Amino acid sequence: MKQPTLQAKLSAMRAEFPQAVSWIDQIPLEKWTQAYDGGKRYGHMTTNLAESINSVLKGSRSLPICALVKTIFERTNAWFVERATKIQCMLRAEHQFPDDIVALLRKNEAQSAMCHVQRYDRENPVFDVQDMLTIEHRRYPITYTVKLNEWWCDCGEFQALHLPCSHVIVVCSFFHLRVTTFVAPVYSLHNILKAYEVQFNPVRNQDYWSTYTGPNFLPDSIMRRHQPGRPSTQRIRNEMDDSIPK
Ligand SMILES: [Zn+2]
């Protein structure tokens, strides 16, 4: 969402629910809005990333501690090897970015056919791009300013996702610039591969372990769970799952 759109929605809410908005006003905008986060979330506004880890751990949470650690280690190891292998294959096939990023760039490229560069200055990389907005089957022209040097487009997508929106793509084709110059390095397969290149050393036979000299931990019987039935194994809840009462 664009910053002015967010402010307009907040103003509308302020008129109707002043108490609610005065509560929201206490939380800095960069903490909860994509429009003001300076692109730090890369478009992530949910806990889906944590859910992926939860799904890796699913089924092993009721295991004793040593088996639990061993399972997490083995699953993470398998996950890293599988992903690194997939990325290496893609790099050998001369892919530059993951499939979902390529699909998004293609979608924006198709949309850029509706856009044209209205105003530009050779000295200053600031452009006005006209796009067509469709509302109830009618099309309306709308202008967005693109500041290439600042990685900014008025639509908000470029700075939020660090990927070229349709307006940036039309500017690139107008000036024969490579669109991939404006894709953040974090999306390149070379960089993603670095995340999965961690070495997993095998846990050797226990007889070869060095002698443990740390403290010994014993379970506290008072803290033992006495709830009837099996614990839920669907997912690990976090504080975001619990809504604030009233
Ligand atoms: Zn844009």
Side-chain angles (χ1 to χ4, degrees):
M1 192 186 287
K2 299 186 282 285
Q3 290 180 357
T5 314
L6 176 84
Q7 291 297 351
K9 282 180 190 288
L10 275 177
S11 295
M13 277 176 66
R14 196 168 277 119
E16 198 144 349
F17 310 104
Q19 272 187 312
V21 180
S22 68
W23 180 82
I24 294 172
D25 283 341
Q26 292 169 24
I27 310 166
L29 287 170
E30 68 270 18
K31 300 261 188 200
W32 63 279
T33 71
Q34 210 176 153
Y36 285 91
D37 76 357
K40 289 189 185 117
R41 287 185 180 82
Y42 285 75
H44 290 285
M45 295 298 285
T46 64
T47 57
N48 288 353
L49 286 169
E51 297 298 338
S52 298
I53 298 299
N54 275 351
S55 73
V56 174
L57 307 184
K58 203 172 168 181
S60 54
R61 276 175 277 141
S62 49
L63 293 173
I65 189 77
C66 286
L68 176 72
V69 171
K70 194 166 176 280
T71 309
I72 294 172
F73 179 83
E74 285 167 1
R75 283 192 192 177
T76 314
N77 183 189
W79 203 18
F80 271 57
V81 170
E82 179 195 309
R83 274 149 202 255
T85 309
K86 186 183 170 193
I87 296 164
Q88 279 161 342
C89 288
M90 290 177 79
L91 283 169
R92 273 198 293 276
E94 298 192 352
H95 290 258
Q96 208 180 343
F97 303 106
D99 293 342
D100 50 350
I101 299 298
V102 173
L104 186 68
L105 290 175
R106 286 210 181 115
K107 183 176 143 269
N108 288 350
E109 198 180 347
Q111 174 66 26
S112 75
M114 309 282 284
C115 311
H116 71 269
V117 180
Q118 267 187 325
R119 190 192 63 83
Y120 63 95
D121 181 347
R122 281 266 169 213
E123 302 298 312
N124 186 6
V126 176
F127 312 87
D128 278 349
V129 173
Q130 194 186 70
D131 195 356
M132 297 304 287
L133 195 69
T134 307
I135 303 171
E136 291 172 358
H137 308 294
R138 294 190 66 178
R139 291 167 69 189
Y140 301 89
I142 181 162
T143 301
Y144 296 102
T145 297
V146 173
K147 299 175 191 171
L148 274 189
N149 281 3
E150 294 172 33
W151 285 53
W152 173 276
C153 176
D154 281 353
C155 79
E157 197 182 308
F158 188 29
Q159 54 273 36
L161 304 183
H162 308 270
L163 287 168
C165 56
S166 52
H167 318 114
V168 171
I169 292 177
V170 77
V171 167
C172 287
S173 61
F174 193 82
F175 286 101
H176 307 288
L177 299 169
R178 287 163 75 97
V179 171
T180 50
T181 312
F182 299 98
V183 175
V186 73
Y187 293 112
S188 84
L189 287 172
H190 277 288
N191 283 328
I192 295 171
L193 181 62
K194 284 179 195 162
Y196 293 108
E197 273 182 340
V198 182
Q199 289 285 317
F200 283 77
N201 294 311
V203 181
R204 298 187 68 191
N205 182 292
Q206 206 166 336
D207 293 344
Y208 292 87
W209 293 4
S210 50
T211 313
Y212 177 69
T213 54
N216 278 320
F217 294 96
L218 294 169
D220 184 345
S221 58
I222 299 166
M223 293 180 74
R224 201 171 159 181
R225 288 161 62 118
H226 294 289
Q227 283 171 353
R230 288 167 58 160
S232 165
T233 54
Q234 282 304 303
R235 59 199 291 276
I236 298 169
R237 293 174 68 82
N238 62 29
E239 70 272 13
M240 288 188 76
D241 294 306
D242 300 312
S243 58
I244 293 157
K246 297 186 182 170

Tab-separated table of all heavy atoms in Angstrom, residues 144 146 153-158 165-168, ligand 1:
chain	number	residue	atom	x	y	z
A	144	TYR	N	2.710	7.793	-12.023
A	144	TYR	CA	3.615	7.404	-10.924
A	144	TYR	C	4.988	7.989	-11.210
A	144	TYR	O	5.446	7.960	-12.354
A	144	TYR	CB	3.740	5.872	-10.850
A	144	TYR	CG	2.461	5.165	-10.505
A	144	TYR	CD1	1.710	4.539	-11.491
A	144	TYR	CD2	2.008	5.121	-9.198
A	144	TYR	CE1	0.535	3.882	-11.184
A	144	TYR	CE2	0.830	4.456	-8.875
A	144	TYR	CZ	0.101	3.845	-9.874
A	144	TYR	OH	-1.074	3.201	-9.554
A	146	VAL	N	8.954	7.664	-10.831
A	146	VAL	CA	9.989	6.650	-10.571
A	146	VAL	C	11.313	7.380	-10.373
A	146	VAL	O	11.698	8.196	-11.197
A	146	VAL	CB	10.103	5.665	-11.766
A	146	VAL	CG1	11.293	4.727	-11.581
A	146	VAL	CG2	8.825	4.860	-11.946
A	153	CYS	N	9.375	4.009	-6.418
A	153	CYS	CA	8.268	4.247	-7.352
A	153	CYS	C	7.074	4.622	-6.492
A	153	CYS	O	6.857	4.033	-5.430
A	153	CYS	CB	7.962	3.013	-8.199
A	153	CYS	SG	6.517	3.288	-9.270
A	154	ASP	N	6.279	5.585	-6.963
A	154	ASP	CA	5.117	6.033	-6.195
A	154	ASP	C	4.140	4.894	-5.891
A	154	ASP	O	3.371	4.985	-4.938
A	154	ASP	CB	4.364	7.130	-6.971
A	154	ASP	CG	5.046	8.488	-6.838
A	154	ASP	OD1	5.998	8.600	-6.045
A	154	ASP	OD2	4.615	9.436	-7.528
A	155	CYS	N	4.151	3.824	-6.696
A	155	CYS	CA	3.206	2.713	-6.451
A	155	CYS	C	3.560	1.956	-5.171
A	155	CYS	O	2.739	1.243	-4.620
A	155	CYS	CB	3.144	1.766	-7.645
A	155	CYS	SG	4.512	0.596	-7.738
A	156	GLY	N	4.793	2.092	-4.691
A	156	GLY	CA	5.215	1.482	-3.418
A	156	GLY	C	5.812	0.093	-3.555
A	156	GLY	O	6.478	-0.395	-2.636
A	157	GLU	N	5.584	-0.565	-4.692
A	157	GLU	CA	6.013	-1.959	-4.838
A	157	GLU	C	7.533	-2.097	-4.953
A	157	GLU	O	8.132	-3.016	-4.374
A	157	GLU	CB	5.339	-2.530	-6.096
A	157	GLU	CG	5.336	-4.022	-6.171
A	157	GLU	CD	4.699	-4.533	-7.452
A	157	GLU	OE1	3.578	-4.121	-7.775
A	157	GLU	OE2	5.362	-5.340	-8.135
A	158	PHE	N	8.138	-1.177	-5.697
A	158	PHE	CA	9.585	-1.248	-5.961
A	158	PHE	C	10.382	-1.199	-4.647
A	158	PHE	O	11.248	-2.042	-4.394
A	158	PHE	CB	9.950	-0.067	-6.878
A	158	PHE	CG	11.348	-0.056	-7.418
A	158	PHE	CD1	12.061	-1.229	-7.645
A	158	PHE	CD2	11.964	1.155	-7.733
A	158	PHE	CE1	13.344	-1.197	-8.175
A	158	PHE	CE2	13.243	1.191	-8.258
A	158	PHE	CZ	13.937	0.014	-8.468
A	165	CYS	N	8.828	-2.886	-10.445
A	165	CYS	CA	7.393	-2.922	-10.752
A	165	CYS	C	7.246	-2.620	-12.250
A	165	CYS	O	8.241	-2.350	-12.931
A	165	CYS	CB	6.659	-1.882	-9.907
A	165	CYS	SG	7.312	-0.230	-10.134
A	166	SER	N	6.020	-2.631	-12.757
A	166	SER	CA	5.799	-2.387	-14.195
A	166	SER	C	6.317	-1.010	-14.616
A	166	SER	O	6.800	-0.839	-15.739
A	166	SER	CB	4.313	-2.514	-14.515
A	166	SER	OG	3.566	-1.700	-13.650
A	167	HIS	N	6.258	-0.037	-13.703
A	167	HIS	CA	6.695	1.338	-14.035
A	167	HIS	C	8.201	1.419	-14.185
A	167	HIS	O	8.712	2.119	-15.047
A	167	HIS	CB	6.172	2.302	-12.958
A	167	HIS	CG	4.761	2.002	-12.568
A	167	HIS	ND1	4.402	1.551	-11.322
A	167	HIS	CD2	3.638	2.002	-13.330
A	167	HIS	CE1	3.104	1.306	-11.301
A	167	HIS	NE2	2.618	1.571	-12.500
A	168	VAL	N	8.911	0.692	-13.338
A	168	VAL	CA	10.383	0.654	-13.439
A	168	VAL	C	10.771	-0.088	-14.724
A	168	VAL	O	11.685	0.324	-15.441
A	168	VAL	CB	10.996	-0.015	-12.179
A	168	VAL	CG1	12.485	-0.265	-12.353
A	168	VAL	CG2	10.748	0.856	-10.953
B	1	ZN	ZN	5.685	1.256	-9.665
